Amino acid sequence: MTVVQSELISAIRSIPDYPKPGIMFRDITTLLGNPKTFRRAIDELVHPYAGTKVDKVAGIEARGFILGGAIAHQLSAGFVPIRKKGKLPHETVRIAYSLEYGVDEMEMHRDAIVPGEKVILVDDLIATGGTAEAAARLLLQMGAEIVAACFVIDLPELGGRKKLEALGVDVRTLISFEGH
């Protein structure tokens, strides 16, 4: 484990049995609240793409907005919010995706991506990958060229990374935790 990984792991709060028994919730708000680790996480996520043409950064609601906005700023790229259905005021495109307990939908503005634009997809954590996969499919449907999907945390046992890689999306994560 690197020094950076150790710093990031120690900055994340783990909450047992949330939101339900058997789940260990990885809370990045403590990382975000610490200026040093927040900056370190953003720098580490940006570093591989510095000097690369990135047109937009798409962030998945809600923590993906915080990380994605900071990454977009560092890369001099635009920011695109991907939100739950009904939260955006203009004409949207949407995609349905499966959850443990049913189906949900996410959407983005129809004019947020121009076909051929290079986009980085961002969220705080990749677990089962359902939300990230749906967001990637939505971007691809709009004609985006996904440069990468970036996350602070990977929960590799849950297989989300593999779902994105099956779509041809490169995945970058900074740290991983065992279990759920």
Side-chain angles (χ1 to χ4, degrees):
M1 179 180 308
T2 68
V3 172
V4 171
Q5 289 171 321
S6 181
E7 285 177 7
L8 297 177
I9 287 170
S10 67
I12 293 168
R13 178 175 26 220
S14 295
I15 303 169
D17 299 319
Y18 183 84
K20 63 183 188 177
I23 301 294
M24 181 65 75
F25 186 80
R26 307 301 180 171
D27 179 15
I28 71 157
T29 61
T30 47
L31 179 147
L32 298 173
N34 177 318
K36 182 179 177 188
T37 56
F38 183 33
R39 176 63 184 230
R40 177 79 73 166
I42 297 303
D43 288 349
E44 291 294 319
L45 290 169
V46 166
H47 179 73
Y49 313 105
T52 303
K53 181 175 177 14
V54 174
D55 299 300
K56 304 274 174 66
V57 174
I60 299 171
E61 187 172 355
R63 288 171 295 275
F65 292 180
I66 298 164
L67 297 167
I71 291 167
H73 172 76
Q74 291 292 92
L75 293 173
S76 297
F79 178 77
V80 176
I82 297 179
R83 300 211 59 190
K84 292 180 180 173
K85 180 182 170 188
K87 301 285 185 179
L88 293 170
H90 191 57
E91 187 178 341
T92 61
V93 291
R94 84 175 47 113
I95 190 166
Y97 62 102
S98 297
L99 300 167
E100 267 182 67
Y101 48 84
V103 176
D104 205 351
E105 291 180 288
M106 64 174 56
E107 60 189 11
M108 59 187 265
H109 282 132
R110 182 172 297 283
D111 60 359
I113 300 289
V114 174
E117 283 188 315
K118 296 181 184 306
V119 178
I120 293 176
L121 177 63
V122 177
D123 204 357
D124 65 326
L125 178 143
I126 179 100
T128 63
T131 304
E133 179 187 21
R137 289 185 183 279
L138 187 60
L139 290 168
L140 292 169
Q141 174 186 316
M142 294 304 298
E145 180 183 322
I146 302 175
V147 175
C150 296
F151 308 89
V152 174
I153 302 169
D154 185 10
L155 302 179
E157 293 173 28
L158 298 179
R161 174 187 213 107
K162 290 178 183 163
K163 288 180 181 176
L164 290 176
E165 290 172 343
L167 292 175
V169 176
D170 287 330
V171 177
R172 174 160 173 74
T173 61
L174 300 182
I175 56 176
S176 62
F177 285 97
E178 298 304 314
H180 295 82

